[in-house]
Amino acid sequence: PSLVFGDLRDSCKSIILTSGTLSPMASFASELQTPFAHKIEAKHVIGDHQLLAMVFESGPKGRQFLGNYQNQQSLQYQDDMANGILEVVKCTPAGVLVFVGSYTFMNRLIDRCEQTGVMDKIREHKGVFQESQDKKTFATDMEHYTNACKGRGAVLFAVFRGKASEGIDFSDEQARAVILVGIPFSNYKE
């Protein structure tokens, strides 16, 4: 990014960058190889007492949650992941976001949930939505998800770096729990 930004920086008198995801500013400035003389960073809108971050190393049946390509192909891994998601859904009000590394794995996981009946159990608690790759339906899908969160709740399956993960503000009841499956890099085999 520094190569592209350098030309812009050198040709402008002032540049204003705004985003909800540029923090920490020090690493962002380092990536752009540009010192910023003036920086304004707002505090996060929720307090520490309102946030719980957890890492699940294994699922309800003890299967290790190592999200590599080989494990993602395993039905046991998919089943344990699905049951782990179900447990979070059962105890979380309103909206639950589930982000995975690729559309391929998202579809595989959803298909497996359907085959094993786990999706029916999830639907007993919440509406289920998935990020579409179709730009035409995305806005409508998100509106349905938002409305469902205000009612009995909803689960949205989405992809890291997909439309749902970039630039959308999931506020209040839309994100009472966020489940990140793996790391936000697509698998080189997909």
Side-chain angles (χ1 to χ4, degrees):
S2 63
L3 291 174
V4 174
F5 190 76
D7 290 340
L8 179 64
R9 175 197 60 225
D10 296 342
S11 65
C12 295
K13 182 176 180 179
S14 297
I15 297 175
I16 299 173
L17 301 172
T18 63
S19 173
T21 58
L22 295 180
S23 291
M25 288 295 292
S27 67
F28 184 68
S30 174
E31 285 179 36
L32 295 179
Q33 295 182 354
T34 302
F36 294 104
H38 305 286
K39 295 178 248 180
I40 300 173
E41 288 186 74
K43 296 211 181 286
H44 202 282
V45 295
I46 64 170
D48 291 346
H49 69 284
Q50 295 172 294
L51 176 68
L52 172 63
M54 301 172 69
V55 175
F56 294 96
E57 294 180 5
S58 61
K61 302 251 183 197
R63 178 82 179 183
Q64 183 183 17
F65 281 157
L66 177 60
N68 60 26
Y69 182 79
Q70 181 179 354
N71 284 350
Q72 289 180 357
Q73 308 311 304
S74 160
L75 297 181
Q76 294 85 6
Y77 176 88
Q78 294 170 30
D79 291 347
D80 234 14
M81 185 61 64
N83 283 299
I85 292 168
L86 172 62
E87 291 304 313
V88 172
V89 165
K90 286 167 40 176
C91 66
T92 304
V96 176
L97 301 169
V98 179
F99 288 101
V100 299
S102 70
Y103 288 103
T104 301
F105 181 65
M106 178 181 72
N107 293 329
R108 183 178 296 124
L109 182 61
I110 289 171
D111 289 346
R112 184 64 181 167
C113 288
E114 294 287 3
Q115 292 168 3
T116 61
V118 172
M119 193 62 78
D120 290 333
K121 293 177 183 176
I122 291 173
R123 286 189 184 107
E124 288 174 12
H125 299 276
K126 299 183 183 307
V128 176
F129 301 85
Q130 81 181 76
E131 177 181 345
S132 170
Q133 289 181 272
D134 183 354
K135 293 177 184 177
K136 296 175 188 173
T137 63
F138 181 72
T140 304
D141 293 344
M142 293 309 301
E143 185 177 330
H144 292 305
Y145 171 76
T146 299
N147 290 336
C149 288
K150 295 174 186 173
R152 69 184 197 103
V155 178
L156 174 65
F157 288 88
V159 175
F160 295 123
R161 300 161 331 282
K163 291 179 286 303
S165 67
E166 299 293 334
I168 293 185
D169 179 19
F170 290 104
S171 60
D172 301 323
E173 69 274 343
Q174 295 172 332
R176 293 298 181 197
V178 180
I179 301 170
L180 307 175
V181 179
I183 57 174
F185 298 110
S186 57
N187 194 298
Y188 75 93
K189 293 185 180 183
E190 292 182 355

